[in-house]
Amino acid sequence: MAHDLPGWVAELTDPRRASTLDELADRLVPLAEHAIDVSRRLQALLNELNDPFKRDALYGRVDRLKTRAGEAMDEITAEIAASGAERVERIWAEWLERVRTTDRSGGRARELRRRLEGDIVPELTRRQRDVAEQVAARTSAALEEATQTLLTRVEELAKAVTELIHGVLPMAREGLGLASRISGLSTRARQAGRGQVPDELREESTELSRTFDEAVARLELEWATLGARSATVRAALRGAEETAFSHVTQAMTDCVEELAPEHVRVLQETEARAATLFDLLAES
């Protein structure tokens, strides 16, 4: 559905409809302001498009990836430690239930706790640390690979964006140059005095108005197109960052799955050693 502006808008803004020098000068001013506005908006969008590729933004993207990988690694380490602690507490609860009626003084319970903390827990902790170190090593290698891939993709995108900026920037400057020409014509119209618009100025203002319409239409179209491209670039950068993080977490997951059987075996051995300790303490 078309949305037309009131007819008086064209009467007050189109230099070709001016009948006096004052009217011509008045109508040229908003044209110059319009050309400046669209040029500045285009330049601002170009700056926005270039911002993600500045040094600080690049370092920030890499640091963010490392931070997220570190947080994920901390979660895995905590889960490994929690599984061991849970198994030890289960062993302890089973022992307390076993001696609940016979260990009135609590001597056997204290001895078991001492032996658990002195003999079994340190060995379990060491083996859990070995698992965590293997996951950390795999994570570090995956992080380095993901970082290099991310940097390569950002560099490729930066080259394309730089070419785009170099192609569009002259158009923004064209708008500013056009605004200067329009302002100059407005000044000449005011300096010409009052009365009817001379043929020379009318022809020049008509030609300049036509040039303005064509130039601003191109600038507005380029501004809209560039906005869509800017959104695509931001999405691409975000996608590259998320893909890099997914690569790291996938490496973590694969490593954990590979080490899971060994970790389960360690927990089972810990429980078996505790059972043997139960029997020894029960006989004492």
Side-chain angles (χ1 to χ4, degrees):
M1 178 178 178
H3 297 279
D4 294 329
L5 297 175
W8 58 264
V9 173
E11 290 290 343
L12 297 183
T13 58
D14 189 349
R16 287 161 291 196
R17 301 192 182 191
S19 58
T20 66
L21 287 167
D22 284 341
E23 289 178 355
L24 176 61
D26 290 342
R27 284 156 177 73
L28 288 171
V29 171
L31 262 65
E33 293 176 346
H34 189 172
I36 292 172
D37 175 68
V38 71
S39 295
R40 287 179 175 173
R41 282 191 285 123
L42 192 56
Q43 287 182 324
L45 198 53
L46 289 174
N47 291 334
E48 179 183 328
L49 188 60
N50 188 56
D51 283 343
F53 302 100
K54 293 180 179 179
R55 184 184 299 272
D56 290 345
L58 181 60
Y59 287 159
R61 187 167 287 106
V62 173
D63 288 343
R64 190 159 51 245
L65 175 60
K66 291 180 178 179
T67 298
R68 294 175 69 187
E71 292 172 350
M73 185 64 217
D74 289 343
E75 290 180 6
I76 291 176
T77 301
E79 289 175 2
I80 293 173
S83 65
E86 182 182 352
R87 186 62 60 98
V88 170
E89 289 306 312
R90 191 173 79 180
I91 292 170
W92 176 243
E94 290 175 355
W95 167 258
L96 290 179
E97 180 62 25
R98 182 174 175 177
V99 301
R100 181 170 53 87
T101 58
T102 59
D103 187 25
R104 299 296 184 180
S105 65
R108 289 181 177 177
R110 287 192 294 273
E111 177 62 14
L112 175 64
R113 195 70 190 185
R114 185 185 69 80
R115 296 285 295 275
L116 280 174
E117 294 177 352
D119 300 335
I120 295 178
V121 172
E123 176 64 15
L124 175 61
T125 301
R126 183 188 67 78
R127 298 177 76 171
Q128 286 180 322
R129 185 167 57 249
D130 290 343
V131 171
E133 288 175 353
Q134 292 182 64
V135 177
R138 184 81 66 87
T139 299
S140 178
L143 179 59
E144 182 176 354
E145 182 180 353
T147 299
Q148 289 303 317
T149 300
L150 175 61
L151 292 175
T152 297
R153 288 176 172 171
V154 171
E155 183 179 359
E156 291 175 352
L157 193 56
K159 290 180 179 178
V161 168
T162 298
E163 292 178 0
L164 175 62
I165 291 174
H166 287 167
V168 176
L169 189 57
M171 295 183 64
R173 292 170 179 167
E174 176 189 351
L176 295 177
L178 178 61
S180 178
R181 290 175 58 193
I182 295 173
S183 296
L185 181 60
S186 176
T187 299
R188 287 165 52 201
R190 293 195 187 280
Q191 292 174 345
R194 298 180 180 276
Q196 299 296 312
V197 180
D199 291 341
E200 180 183 354
L201 285 181
R202 183 173 297 281
E203 291 177 4
E204 187 175 351
S205 65
T206 298
E207 179 60 29
L208 196 54
S209 297
R210 186 182 303 111
T211 301
F212 168 85
D213 290 341
E214 294 174 354
V216 169
R218 289 197 308 273
L219 290 172
E220 292 282 6
L221 179 60
E222 191 62 40
W223 179 81
T225 302
L226 194 61
R229 290 176 179 173
S230 180
T232 300
V233 168
R234 290 195 300 271
L237 289 170
R238 186 61 176 169
E241 191 172 336
E242 290 302 315
T243 300
F245 180 63
S246 294
H247 176 76
V248 176
T249 55
Q250 185 62 52
M252 289 180 178
T253 301
D254 293 344
C255 187
V256 170
E257 290 178 353
E258 292 173 9
L259 297 174
E262 173 64 16
H263 183 58
V264 171
R265 187 176 67 80
V266 169
L267 295 177
Q268 291 172 342
E269 289 179 358
T270 298
E271 197 159 1
R273 290 181 63 197
T276 300
L277 186 57
F278 284 169
D279 294 338
L280 291 174
L281 290 175
E283 294 173 359
S284 62

